[in-house]
Amino acid sequence: MSLHDDAVLVLKGYEGQPELRELYLEHLAAHPDGVYKPCRAGHITGSALVVDPARGRVLLTLHKKLGMWLQMGGHCEPGDATLAEAALREAREESGIPTGLTLLPGGPVRLDRHPIPPPCNWHLDVQYAALAPADAVAEISEESLDLRWFPYDEVAAVADASVVRLVEATRARL
């Protein structure tokens, strides 16, 4: 099965946000390359909010290019077999936590579509949550200016509304 096929299956099984889900599915139906960065109409991305439920906190990265506190995430790569795998790979790379991260069961937590600068138009983000092991030690990657754990109730003070919604949706699933 291709990554494109997996994305279609994941989205068909996702029960939330029906209008946005349909938009993602229409995008994939129109663009066989719609999971990869070169698709100029936009492309699917995979992200994961790294969560430490025992301590009531999330790990956010201060994105180097955007200067914003965000969840870990990014572009799908040819070696990614599934969207979940892409999101988990991105979480490992950007958090510096090489082992022990596991995705919260039940598939994606949210979808978030946001504009990006030309030549592409949109990121169609499929957002997961990754549970951090108790002994997790985060390490800043080359893609980050900073990496920090934030208590749930402090996220709204540093991050935009999309990250706040992701934290809320993740907490509802924990």
Side-chain angles (χ1 to χ4, degrees), residues 34-95:
V35 294
Y36 297 115
K37 187 176 181 178
C39 182
R40 291 192 173 201
H43 44 272
I44 301 290
T45 55
S47 68
L49 179 69
V50 176
V51 183
D52 178 355
R55 294 186 178 102
R57 62 188 189 162
V58 298
L59 183 65
L60 299 178
T61 180
L62 184 56
H63 195 278
K64 190 178 268 187
K65 289 182 182 176
L66 300 175
M68 298 171 60
W69 288 102
L70 300 170
Q71 74 276 8
M72 314 305 147
H75 297 106
C76 297
E77 296 179 0
D80 296 325
T82 67
L83 277 180
E85 192 176 286
L88 192 54
R89 175 187 49 75
E90 286 287 341
R92 288 182 186 126
E93 289 174 0
E94 293 183 7
S95 71

Side-chain angles (χ1 to χ4, degrees), residues 23 42 66 69 86 89 94 96 111 116 131 136 139 151 157 160 162:
L23 188 137
L66 300 175
W69 288 102
R89 175 187 49 75
E94 293 183 7
L111 304 177
I116 57 172
L131 302 174
E139 187 175 312
D160 72 6
S162 70

